[in-house]
Amino acid sequence: MPIDLAERFHAFLTEMPHELGLGNEDAAAIIDRYYVPEIEYWNDGILLDRQRLIDHVKPARKNAASLRIEVHESLVGEDVAAARYTMDAVMRQGKTITMEIYLFARYAPDGRIRRVDSITRTV
């Protein structure tokens, strides 16, 4: 059955943050579902590999109370995708952090992401 990259990309943008930031499932299992093991995730010029992505989950789960994601624009090609979206994170201490994200992704043949280039800014 062919991989529906548009569906996978939408899940990556909207479901994965909830799974990682608010869920109880093992972070490595979630990361491995969406990314290849040799993932290169460039965020604001900083390279995050698989382990750094996994390590980011524990503090996110400790601090976040809820998330809301609004995808404003997305494009999906043969093995690439791009999006502009907003993420609101309500922290357990009551503060809300709003991030605007511009993201470009490259897919591996199995439908998992092999590279991300993203730029974020706090709104």
Side-chain angles (χ1 to χ4, degrees):
M1 186 162 144
I3 298 166
D4 184 341
L5 284 186
E7 184 178 298
R8 284 191 62 89
F9 190 54
H10 185 73
F12 166 75
L13 295 173
T14 62
E15 295 173 23
M16 186 191 65
H18 287 95
E19 293 173 23
L20 286 173
L22 303 172
N24 295 317
E25 184 181 359
D26 178 58
I30 298 167
I31 295 292
D32 291 342
R33 187 165 45 249
Y34 290 94
Y35 301 106
V36 297
E38 55 281 344
I39 178 64
E40 289 183 34
Y41 195 117
W42 290 91
N43 184 59
D44 295 334
I46 298 169
L47 176 61
L48 303 171
D49 63 9
R50 179 182 178 274
Q51 190 57 53
R52 286 187 75 183
L53 288 169
I54 292 168
D55 293 345
H56 180 69
V57 172
K58 188 174 183 178
R61 285 181 177 173
K62 179 182 175 188
N63 295 318
S66 67
L67 292 172
R68 187 178 75 78
I69 297 154
E70 182 178 353
V71 179
H72 305 290
E73 298 174 277
S74 68
L75 299 167
V76 178
E78 187 173 317
D79 67 345
V80 294
R84 180 178 67 85
Y85 62 104
T86 309
M87 180 184 306
D88 296 315
V90 177
M91 309 312 277
R92 293 192 191 281
Q93 297 173 341
K95 181 179 177 182
T96 298
I97 298 170
T98 300
M99 300 293 296
E100 184 175 46
I101 303 158
Y102 297 85
L103 183 140
F104 301 89
R106 289 202 167 274
Y107 280 88
D110 69 358
R112 293 184 293 166
I113 295 174
R114 62 181 175 88
R115 182 180 172 111
V116 167
D117 291 280
S118 71
I119 297 172
T120 61
R121 72 178 184 102
T122 303
V123 180

